[in-house]
Amino acid sequence: YIALKELRAKKPVVVLVENMCCSAGYLIACGGDMIISTRMADIGSIGVVAMLNHVKKPKTATNEELSVEFLTAGKHKIVGNAYAPSLTPEQRDHFMERINQAYNILCRIVSEERGLCLNSIDEWGDAQVFGGEEAVKRGLVDKNGSIAQAEQSIMELLDKRKIDHTKELALVNFA
């Protein structure tokens, strides 16, 4: 996201989504000047997930019970380790606080970059996935189109910024 944002300060950046642009991928796309998607693309999933695995009774390859002992400095050092005891309510609250902080940062960035109101997050965020047409209606995408529309949009942005585009246009594909 930051790299695209820095690049767009120097030259126009149009993001073309052909299939999917969700979660962190959508955050990265927000670094461009414009987002174009196909009508069938999946857009959004603006949310944060953390998965903590927990092995209740660890076993060796020969199916013998495995004893795991941790030696740590810092009472939270093994929190989230698959072999650590289950989270305490305090530890779970700490994880949820971090998840909510990340979610709030993500939503603020999307709101600022896309000109969306944080008070209407339930209309564009909340980890929902939208098709390309719906994403345009909700402000997550500027328009639906293909590579031809992306090239045209780049030319328009170059003209608007009065940047010479007589040289060959370079397209970067991140599949």
Side-chain angles (χ1 to χ4, degrees):
Y1 160 73
I2 293 170
L4 275 186
K5 192 171 176 175
E6 289 171 353
L7 180 61
R8 84 172 188 220
K10 300 172 188 168
K11 56 181 74 179
V13 175
V14 175
V15 176
L16 173 63
V17 180
E18 293 182 318
N19 297 309
M20 180 183 286
C21 188
C22 292
S23 200
Y26 184 76
L27 170 64
I28 293 167
C30 284
D33 290 290
M34 176 181 287
I35 302 173
I36 299 172
S37 80
T38 62
R39 295 183 314 177
M40 297 293 291
D42 289 328
I43 308 291
S45 189
I46 300 164
V48 177
V49 63
M51 182 174 79
L52 302 175
N53 295 318
H54 184 70
V55 179
K56 291 189 182 210
K57 292 184 180 179
K59 302 213 186 260
T60 65
T62 58
N63 213 23
E64 297 175 58
E65 282 199 25
L66 180 66
S67 175
V68 178
E69 182 178 357
F70 291 97
L71 303 173
T72 66
K75 71 178 187 175
H76 298 289
K77 187 62 184 167
I78 63 169
V79 173
N81 185 293
Y83 296 104
S86 295
L87 295 177
T88 66
E90 174 194 10
Q91 292 167 334
R92 184 172 301 285
D93 289 347
H94 175 74
F95 264 101
M96 281 308 304
E97 183 180 323
R98 295 284 295 129
I99 290 166
N100 287 328
Q101 286 172 353
Y103 179 66
N104 289 334
I105 291 167
L106 175 60
C107 289
R108 277 198 315 269
I109 290 170
V110 171
S111 170
E112 290 167 9
E113 295 294 346
R114 301 299 304 162
L116 300 170
C117 180
L118 278 173
N119 292 334
S120 62
I121 195 168
D122 57 332
E123 295 174 20
W124 54 265
D126 207 21
Q128 300 174 82
V129 177
F130 305 101
E133 289 182 336
E134 187 64 26
V136 171
K137 292 176 188 172
R138 294 177 185 257
L140 297 174
V141 169
D142 295 293
K143 62 183 172 181
N144 295 133
S146 65
I147 195 154
Q149 285 78 29
E151 289 173 346
Q152 179 182 354
S153 295
I154 290 171
M155 294 301 183
E156 290 169 2
L157 287 169
L158 287 166
D159 287 341
K160 184 176 178 180
R161 293 191 194 178
K162 297 181 180 9
I163 298 173
D164 177 31
H165 55 80
T166 56
K167 298 177 184 171
E168 186 175 325
L169 181 64
L171 299 175
V172 180
N173 183 358
F174 296 102

